[in-house]
Amino acid sequence: DWRNILRTSASDSLAVKIDATLTNLLGSHDTTYGEDNTPLAIQDLLDSVGSMDAADVPQEDRNWCISALEKVNWLNHDVIINQLYIGQRTPVTNAEIGQVYGGRVHVTTNLTAGTAGKKSGFFNRNAYAKAMRRNPFTMILDNPNTASHELAMFAIWGIKELRDNHGVSLFGK
């Protein structure tokens, strides 16, 4: 059914737009580590964790949001993938990193560009607030001028940084 195909496509596009609203904030924290277009070092990750610990940010609900290129860099570090370091029964074999230093790893291609690299982040979920004033909904409209059906999708949302010390900006690949 073409209507379902259009709705799915519109929903996917809207989800990317809402995510971009959040990822635009990742580079706005006062505390930053890493250099633009240079892979993050393990020390950058440790400094990020130390910053959050020093600010008494809760351990639960911490998240890393990194680019696909940065993920490749992370998969080259034994400290991240070797079962002897990470305390899991099995090593990382499927290229899904899972958790690093207490934070769940999310990989996206939807990050804000730096000068040459990407702006990533390490944050607690309390760093940001998202409000959906209107959940996404679609309407099929008939356009008599073109004798066609048009799909319109509407949503009202907003995302705001609430606690600057609950997040760290990371500049890398």
Side-chain angles (χ1 to χ4, degrees):
D1 182 14
W2 65 271
R3 289 179 192 223
N4 287 334
I5 293 170
L6 290 175
R7 280 192 178 110
T8 302
S9 178
S11 295
D12 292 345
S13 297
L14 186 60
V16 167
K17 184 65 178 162
I18 292 171
D19 286 349
T21 309
L22 171 63
T23 58
N24 285 339
L25 295 176
L26 291 177
S28 67
H29 293 283
D30 290 340
T31 306
T32 61
Y33 296 105
E35 293 182 31
D36 193 30
N37 203 31
T38 303
L40 290 167
I42 294 298
Q43 192 59 49
D44 295 326
L45 308 184
L46 293 171
D47 290 342
S48 299
V49 172
S51 257
M52 301 259 283
D53 289 344
D56 289 327
V57 177
Q59 295 287 333
E60 56 277 345
D61 296 324
R62 289 185 180 186
N63 298 280
W64 300 94
C65 191
I66 61 171
S67 70
L69 286 175
E70 194 63 55
K71 175 186 174 184
V72 171
N73 172 50
W74 286 25
L75 288 172
N76 282 317
H77 290 292
D78 272 352
V79 176
I80 292 176
I81 64 168
N82 191 317
Q83 67 183 4
L84 297 174
Y85 291 103
I86 59 177
Q88 295 179 3
R89 292 184 177 167
T90 57
V92 174
T93 57
N94 61 0
E96 182 175 324
I97 298 173
Q99 287 208 350
V100 172
Y101 301 131
R104 180 90 179 121
V105 178
H106 304 278
V107 179
T108 181
T109 57
N110 202 20
L111 293 173
T112 304
T115 306
K118 297 288 185 181
K119 297 178 182 178
S120 308
F122 180 49
F123 59 94
N124 180 279
R125 77 175 195 163
N126 294 325
Y128 309 107
K130 178 179 93 171
M132 293 293 293
R133 176 73 171 106
R134 175 181 286 269
N135 286 328
F137 72 97
T138 58
M139 294 174 49
I140 301 289
L141 306 171
D142 291 324
N143 187 342
N145 296 328
T146 59
S148 63
H149 301 293
E150 294 178 358
L151 178 82
M153 179 169 256
F154 302 94
I156 301 173
W157 75 90
I159 296 177
K160 181 163 177 61
E161 181 183 312
L162 297 179
R163 296 180 178 149
D164 186 68
N165 68 346
H166 278 49
V168 173
S169 295
L170 300 168
F171 297 93
K173 280 276 191 192

